[in-house]
Amino acid sequence: MTRIIDHPILGKLNDRKAIPFTFDGKTYEALENETVAAALLANGIRTLRIHEESGTPRGVYCNIGHCMECRVTANDQANVRACLTVVEQHMVIESGKQHPTIVKRMVEQQ
């Protein structure tokens, strides 16, 4: 785990409750009130989805909800921004899968 547990300004994190969640079928732990992005990064997960056109891995980029690079599926809701979503106990999170874009679909139909 790569989480900062004693920050000079934010203080110690050891008083926060551990919350189980799953990512792509594997169980991990988040800390209470932690975002999905922070929990995944703390557990060593860097790839959150696959780019729609190129198939390249994507992860946390801006971490403030602007870029949409950290989209995941959380509790069956697609395109949830991991950087803005707080982990809930037993939350089921799945990485964003590569889906054909509208341009690819139009080319494939021709």
Side-chain angles (χ1 to χ4, degrees), residues 3 5 9-10 13 17 25 27 34 36 41 45 48 51 64-65 69 76 81-82 84 86 90 100 103 105 108:
R3 184 179 283 116
I5 57 171
I9 296 171
L10 301 176
L13 296 179
K17 178 180 158 189
T27 301
E34 191 168 50
V36 170
L41 289 172
I45 298 167
L48 305 184
H51 190 270
I64 57 173
E69 289 296 324
D76 293 322
R81 287 179 279 188
L84 298 179
V86 175
H90 303 295
V103 174
R105 279 186 248 154
E108 291 170 355

Side-chain angles (χ1 to χ4, degrees), residues 74-107:
N75 293 336
D76 293 322
Q77 183 178 352
N79 296 318
V80 172
R81 287 179 279 188
C83 68
L84 298 179
T85 305
V86 175
V87 176
E88 298 170 1
Q89 190 156 344
H90 303 295
M91 182 179 258
V92 176
I93 304 163
E94 297 172 355
S95 58
K97 309 296 183 223
Q98 184 177 9
H99 300 289
T101 64
I102 189 69
V103 174
K104 280 188 176 181
R105 279 186 248 154
M106 290 172 64
V107 169

Side-chain angles (χ1 to χ4, degrees), residues 15-82:
D15 61 339
R16 293 169 71 187
K17 178 180 158 189
I19 299 172
F21 71 97
T22 62
F23 180 72
D24 286 345
K26 187 174 177 186
T27 301
Y28 297 95
E29 282 190 346
L31 293 181
E32 190 175 40
N33 298 318
E34 191 168 50
T35 65
V36 170
L40 292 172
L41 289 172
N43 283 282
I45 298 167
R46 302 289 181 258
T47 300
L48 305 184
R49 69 180 190 92
I50 303 298
H51 190 270
E52 293 83 358
E53 292 180 16
S54 68
T56 56
R58 296 293 196 227
V60 178
Y61 182 68
C62 75
N63 207 31
I64 57 173
H66 286 271
C67 72
M68 303 292 286
E69 289 296 324
C70 66
R71 287 175 284 149
V72 295
T73 299
N75 293 336
D76 293 322
Q77 183 178 352
N79 296 318
V80 172
R81 287 179 279 188

